[in-house]
Amino acid sequence: MTEGVQHRLVETGERYDVFHTDCLARDVVDHVTSRWGIWVLIALRRNDLRFYELRESIRGISEKMLAQTLRVLVEDGLVWRKVEPTTPPQVTYGLTEFGRDIGEPLTDLFDRITQRLSALDTP
């Protein structure tokens, strides 16, 4: 038995009620706003990147966490993955249309924060 978990039948029209644990959209929001999910989406906003390029661009992320984050973002349909059959395999990631749509406001938020912090640094 799981205590504290909120379960209920979702009626048509209420399918995406993010305040309930059975909401599919809630999982996507959790993945996007996870510690590393937001940085993957921002890193991919301009270019498709190979795994090692992503790892280098997101300082502090381990290979394990990057792989896990990419796996769920691919499953959610936000990121696509292309494997080239070379030795070793070359794996490239990029944003899907859905990923670009979600990533745009995140990029705007990041840009606003950095602009504001830059303005505070200026004497």
Side-chain angles (χ1 to χ4, degrees):
M1 180 163 91
T2 56
E3 293 185 27
V5 176
Q6 190 177 21
H7 291 281
R8 71 180 183 108
L9 291 175
V10 179
E11 297 176 23
T12 306
E14 293 182 7
R15 184 172 180 193
Y16 299 108
D17 184 352
V18 296
F19 294 105
H20 294 281
T21 58
D22 55 355
C23 176
L24 298 175
R26 184 176 180 155
D27 289 338
V28 175
V29 170
D30 287 344
H31 298 154
V32 168
T33 60
S34 70
R35 179 171 183 188
W36 300 111
I38 193 168
W39 298 117
V40 169
L41 294 176
I42 289 173
L44 291 171
R45 72 185 182 265
R46 292 194 182 110
N47 297 315
D48 303 337
L49 297 173
R50 291 180 44 197
F51 184 88
Y52 81 91
E53 294 171 320
L54 264 172
R55 189 187 67 223
E56 292 298 316
S57 68
I58 305 171
R59 305 284 166 113
I61 192 169
S62 68
E63 285 189 24
K64 177 183 175 183
M65 284 310 304
L66 179 57
Q68 288 176 355
T69 301
L70 286 166
R71 188 175 308 114
V72 296
L73 294 176
V74 167
E75 288 172 5
D76 290 341
L78 298 166
V79 172
W80 55 261
R81 177 180 190 263
K82 178 182 174 188
V83 180
E84 295 184 35
T86 59
T87 306
Q90 292 182 0
V91 184
T92 305
Y93 295 90
L95 295 179
T96 63
E97 183 179 338
F98 183 33
R100 284 190 302 276
D101 194 36
I102 297 299
E104 188 176 321
L106 297 174
T107 299
D108 291 343
L109 175 65
F110 178 76
D111 290 344
R112 287 180 189 191
I113 291 169
T114 56
Q115 287 170 2
R116 181 60 61 111
L117 292 175
S118 295
L120 294 175
D121 287 341
T122 307

